[in-house]
Amino acid sequence: MNCLTYKIVIIHLFRHIQEMGKITNGREDNKRSKGHRDSPAIEEASNGPLKKGPWTSAEDAVLVDYVTKHGEGNWNAVQKHSGLSRCGKSCRLRWANHLRPDLKKGAFTPEEERRIIELHANMGNKWARMAAELPGRTDNEIKNYWNTRIKRLQRAGLPIYPPEVCLKILNGSQESQNIGTLQTADTHGPDLTQMDHLEIPEAEFKNLELNQGLLSYSPTVLDIPASSMLKQDYFSEKITESFGMSSQYDSHTNTYGQPPLGGLPGSHALLNDNSSSSEPSCGAMKLELPSLQYLDTQQDSWGTPTSPLLSLESVDTLIHSPPTEQTQSDFLSPRSSENYPLNPYKTEWEVHGDPNSPLGHSAASVFSHVLLSVEAHQMNQVRLFYTASSSDEPARNSQSGFNPIHFRQGSSNQIDFMRPDVLLGSGWFGLGGGCINDQSVRTDSVGSAFGDAVNSEC
DNA sequence: AATATAGTCAACCGCACCCGC
DNA sequence: TGCGGGTGCGGTTGACTATAT
């Protein structure tokens, strides 16, 4: 037995003692004494019955002993050689999630919570990858934490990510996108396969100004009791508080000291603290409702019979409605989305309706606050800008089926801002987000409206 | 006090990938 | 090249506790 083995055994014994210490009133033990622990499910295997359900301490000990002797891996052999009536998968899971000596127990620290938000914004539901970034934490732990958090935020009508994170992502994405555009502009337009390799550098997040909302966002919001969050007044406070807007945002100008967003009522709504709740279409609260918010709560919560937001159904319609011309797969490999959740031209959520990709799940919520009503002439400007920014765009779009501007059914004067591809692909977020010094791009009203706010972050 | 609802956690399931044969 | 086993990952479920009504 080497030192590591001793360490593992000691740690396990320590945990075992801790576990036993909970016997009197511990929740752990209550759980263990109830339910299927006493009558675990049995599954027939080739060489005997396999047990399912919660693990007992004795089983843990057997598994720990086996792993200390033989090391990790070859999990199916555990059952054969140790006599443990558990399938390999179960053993692996138990080891990875509970018995590993390097596991960190207890609640997530604020720093870890912050990191999880960053990581999720960066890579989506890649729990294992996220766990790799958080030593001592398991993917299951992170997943559970995140799902709980999502539920809470959804119920509260809060966006999943703090605006800073959104902007950073979008900046990074658009910057790379524009680089790609520049590189290929005089040939055949942006190489979409190249875009698949676009990575959002992690350093992006390391440079985040933590005090600008992110740090305060997570713990503060997370600490809000669900019931309290349903109260709108408390809600409004928390939003400004959580996003750190009270100090950063002047509701009478705008976030960054720029003039108000003329001609685009409701834009930047998330940051708009001036959301007198009597404003049905521009109020920050309404615009912040995530797409996944239950529809029936919208009216109840906000007291307005109609919402400018896309309903779940309408989002689904957009997601599932067939491409007008060619399918997405015509121009993107299926693998691309896996490594590149933020591809503005592909967006996994568009295809699969994945509610959990950074710009999928959150797309609805993240972008909900920029759902704008745009007058017809403004729309023209958007389109003009778009075509002007890359002469190849229309041709490419017609080929790919990617429509830079999506209109809502029956609402011809509204851009579908719930769609990240619209925002990104059309250049809305890219106008200044990537710190591209293309001033010509920013001559339109949209550019000045959005670009200024975003650009000032650079 | 009883009931409903939300939150937490552990474990299972199905799928996809990798790798050796 | 195809196949099968092993493994990892993400989604989901179920049991239980905590809190609100």
Side-chain angles (χ1 to χ4, degrees), chain A residues 246-448:
Chain A
S246 54
S247 60
Q248 296 173 37
Y249 186 73
D250 180 348
S251 62
H252 298 293
T253 58
N254 74 5
T255 308
Y256 306 100
Q258 300 289 336
L261 304 177
L264 292 171
S267 62
H268 228 264
L270 177 65
L271 300 179
N272 190 350
D273 193 23
N274 191 19
S275 59
S276 63
S277 46
S278 59
E279 289 282 332
S281 62
C282 305
M285 300 307 297
K286 293 182 183 62
L287 290 171
E288 277 198 5
L289 279 171
S291 67
L292 297 178
Q293 182 89 2
Y294 298 117
L295 286 175
D296 58 348
T297 65
Q298 292 186 4
Q299 180 169 342
D300 293 345
S301 300
W302 313 119
T304 42
T306 57
S307 166
L309 289 178
L310 289 175
S311 66
L312 273 176
E313 286 79 1
S314 58
V315 170
D316 286 344
T317 302
L318 285 167
I319 290 170
H320 295 299
S321 60
T324 53
E325 296 175 30
Q326 287 180 300
T327 62
Q328 298 282 349
S329 58
D330 287 339
F331 62 99
L332 281 161
S333 69
R335 244 190 125 63
S336 61
S337 63
E338 189 176 318
N339 298 324
Y340 179 42
L342 294 174
N343 186 339
Y345 292 100
K346 163 57 168 55
T347 60
E348 197 168 356
W349 73 285
E350 183 179 28
V351 178
H352 303 295
D354 177 8
N356 296 313
S357 66
L359 292 177
H361 181 154
S362 54
S365 46
V366 164
F367 289 94
S368 63
H369 59 271
V370 291
L371 177 66
L372 311 177
S373 295
V374 181
E375 301 297 335
H377 70 276
Q378 289 168 332
M379 286 299 305
N380 291 337
Q381 283 182 311
V382 173
R383 196 174 276 285
L384 282 173
F385 151 71
Y386 187 84
T387 54
S389 65
S390 168
S391 57
D392 293 330
E393 292 299 328
R396 194 195 66 202
N397 294 333
S398 64
Q399 281 181 351
S400 64
F402 172 73
N403 187 358
I405 304 293
H406 296 263
F407 293 93
R408 293 176 59 192
Q409 275 185 324
S411 179
S412 61
N413 66 337
Q414 276 190 323
I415 295 179
D416 177 11
F417 283 92
M418 304 298 286
R419 297 194 45 154
D421 57 345
V422 175
L423 293 163
L424 295 169
S426 65
W428 272 73
F429 272 100
L431 293 170
C435 306
I436 305 295
N437 293 323
D438 181 1
Q439 293 303 317
S440 65
V441 161
R442 298 184 49 200
T443 55
D444 65 296
S445 61
V446 177
S448 54

Side-chain angles (χ1 to χ4, degrees), chain A residues 37-96:
Chain A
R37 171 147 293 242
D38 293 333
S39 55
I42 302 294
E43 190 178 80
E44 283 296 327
S46 57
N47 56 348
L50 287 181
K51 192 175 160 193
K52 291 164 80 174
W55 281 64
T56 63
S57 300
E59 287 175 317
D60 283 348
V62 172
L63 181 58
V64 167
D65 183 57
Y66 182 87
V67 175
T68 52
K69 285 177 183 165
H70 301 92
E72 296 183 42
N74 204 8
W75 294 108
N76 284 332
V78 178
Q79 187 226 342
K80 295 171 188 167
H81 299 143
S82 69
L84 203 55
S85 300
R86 294 281 182 172
C87 69
K89 278 179 116 176
S90 186
C91 293
R92 178 188 149 271
L93 203 67
R94 183 66 185 175
W95 174 261

Side-chain angles (χ1 to χ4, degrees), chain A residues 100 102-104 108-109 111-117 119 127-139 141-142 145:
Chain A
R100 257 169 46 200
D102 58 334
L103 281 181
K104 199 188 286 182
F108 286 106
T109 65
E111 172 62 24
E112 284 174 324
E113 290 176 351
R114 182 188 63 79
R115 187 84 182 111
I116 289 171
I117 294 169
L119 290 169
W127 311 118
R129 281 176 62 191
M130 291 166 75
E133 301 282 332
L134 291 166
R137 299 298 185 179
T138 69
D139 53 354
E141 228 176 342
I142 296 170
Y145 166 77

